[in-house]
Amino acid sequence: MTKNTPLMIVGAPRSGNTLVRRVLMASGQIYIPPETYVLGELIENWRRAALLSWRDKVWLFCAYFDRHPHRNDMDIASLSPFADTAARWPRAQRNLRALLDGFYRFMAGEHGYTQARWGDKTPWNTVHLKSITRFYPDAQYLHLLRDGRDSVASQVRADMRDIDEAARRWISANEMCERHLRKVSHLQMRYEDIVRDPETSFARVFDWAGLRFESRFLTEVPARMGDVTLRTHHANVLEPITPRSIGGWTRSLDAAQVSALPAPFHAMMTKYGYG
């Protein structure tokens, strides 16, 4: 691990990804943008651009981000400054890894951050985790695990998906983490531990990531967090860390709804000790 090693926060939706992003960024040692959504697609489809000129590759790269429905979450007026600069890069720098590194640094600069190291916290990356881990075998992967009932209930409350789809998403995300993180540097942390004992939990995360931890990082809120202020389901991230959301599923789901969830959901819950 070096100071330029990406740190990927992965796991099912509503598992604490944005909270961890907030605390890591408060340290001033790493920049993590709002959810990017298209990292996996870019990696998987990049070979199709092989015959394009470098300028056209840069434009295509930017279009993946610029045309996404959640483009405004980036809180960046224009990607043209990056595209104009990258199009003039020397030949030795003309590759996808350099583009991604340069683009994350561009986003950091646009938001007032100067850290050399960057990360990503997009839950959708689990769908493409096989490709991402092959492309970034040297990255660090933080797998956040949360009680499936709370993840499902939170997804439903946020109007992200219905209860059955939310359960399938929780299963698949954790399955992908189990399958594809075996051969890379990874750490699994439970959301419940993080919010019950943030001091101990984040000290462990920071040590594993090679970052310096201070207690004040737990209460400071970084500027320009993008989707945190734009998406109501991220509102609690700006509040003090508290365990009050643990077991919150009981306020929106009944026993019959939980019992009706698919068998693999219950099997995975038991496997992780949430049964």
Side-chain angles (χ1 to χ4, degrees):
M1 191 274 294
T2 72
K3 66 179 182 179
N4 294 325
T5 302
L7 194 162
M8 306 291 186
I9 303 170
V10 295
R14 313 301 293 156
S15 294
N17 310 60
T18 308
L19 171 60
V20 172
R21 174 197 176 208
R22 189 201 87 185
V23 176
L24 287 170
M25 284 183 61
S27 76
Q29 300 168 74
I30 186 169
Y31 170 76
I32 302 173
E35 294 178 18
T36 53
Y37 297 101
V38 299
L39 176 63
E41 282 185 81
L42 261 171
I43 291 170
E44 291 172 358
N45 294 334
W46 192 247
R47 72 181 76 177
R48 300 179 182 177
L51 299 180
L52 297 178
S53 68
W54 176 247
R55 186 197 66 169
D56 288 347
K57 287 181 180 179
V58 171
W59 287 5
L60 175 63
F61 174 94
C62 290
Y64 269 86
F65 295 94
D66 213 23
R67 302 305 300 169
H68 193 274
H70 293 315
R71 161 69 172 85
N72 289 340
D73 290 6
M74 296 173 67
D75 189 23
I76 294 175
S78 173
L79 306 188
S80 293
F82 172 76
D84 293 343
T85 299
R88 298 192 299 272
W89 282 354
R91 189 169 298 276
Q93 199 176 348
R94 296 179 178 183
N95 58 74
L96 179 57
R97 180 139 183 169
L99 268 177
L100 286 166
D101 183 68
F103 186 67
Y104 277 79
R105 292 173 188 272
F106 166 76
M107 287 191 287
E110 289 292 296
H111 292 155
Y113 295 89
T114 59
Q115 295 87 337
R117 193 173 181 190
W118 57 266
D120 194 293
K121 67 97 187 175
T122 310
W124 190 248
N125 284 345
T126 57
V127 174
H128 303 277
L129 200 52
K130 179 179 180 180
S131 299
I132 293 172
T133 53
R134 285 182 174 180
F135 189 78
Y136 283 117
D138 55 331
Q140 290 185 289
Y141 296 83
L142 178 59
H143 174 199
L144 297 181
L145 181 64
R146 186 182 187 184
D147 185 321
R149 294 164 297 189
D150 279 331
S151 172
V152 167
S154 189
Q155 291 179 64
V156 173
R157 285 196 301 270
D159 291 326
M160 298 171 70
R161 44 187 64 89
D162 64 33
I163 184 171
D164 292 325
E165 187 181 359
R168 290 193 296 270
R169 184 74 184 91
W170 183 80
I171 295 167
S172 64
N174 289 303
E175 282 181 342
M176 291 302 99
C177 288
E178 288 182 357
R179 186 177 306 168
H180 300 301
L181 299 186
R182 295 173 182 172
K183 295 183 179 180
V184 294
S185 174
H186 71 279
L187 174 68
Q188 185 183 94
M189 294 291 294
R190 291 176 181 260
Y191 171 83
E192 294 79 12
D193 293 336
I194 289 173
V195 296
R196 283 185 177 128
D197 187 0
E199 183 97 17
T200 301
S201 297
F202 276 105
R204 183 184 178 196
V205 170
F206 273 67
D207 181 67
W208 166 77
L211 302 171
R212 183 190 76 261
F213 175 71
E214 297 179 26
S215 298
R216 63 183 177 88
F217 302 156
L218 300 175
T219 55
E220 295 181 358
V221 178
R224 300 286 297 273
M225 294 277 290
D227 55 357
V228 171
T229 54
L230 293 172
R231 302 285 169 183
T232 56
H233 59 265
H234 289 321
N236 288 340
V237 171
L238 302 177
E239 301 297 324
I241 300 173
T242 171
R244 68 172 179 262
S245 62
I246 296 175
W249 65 271
T250 59
R251 295 187 288 272
S252 55
L253 302 179
D254 59 39
Q257 288 175 301
V258 173
S259 296
L261 293 174
F265 177 86
H266 295 285
M268 183 170 281
M269 286 281 289
T270 300
K271 177 180 179 179
Y272 287 135
Y274 287 118

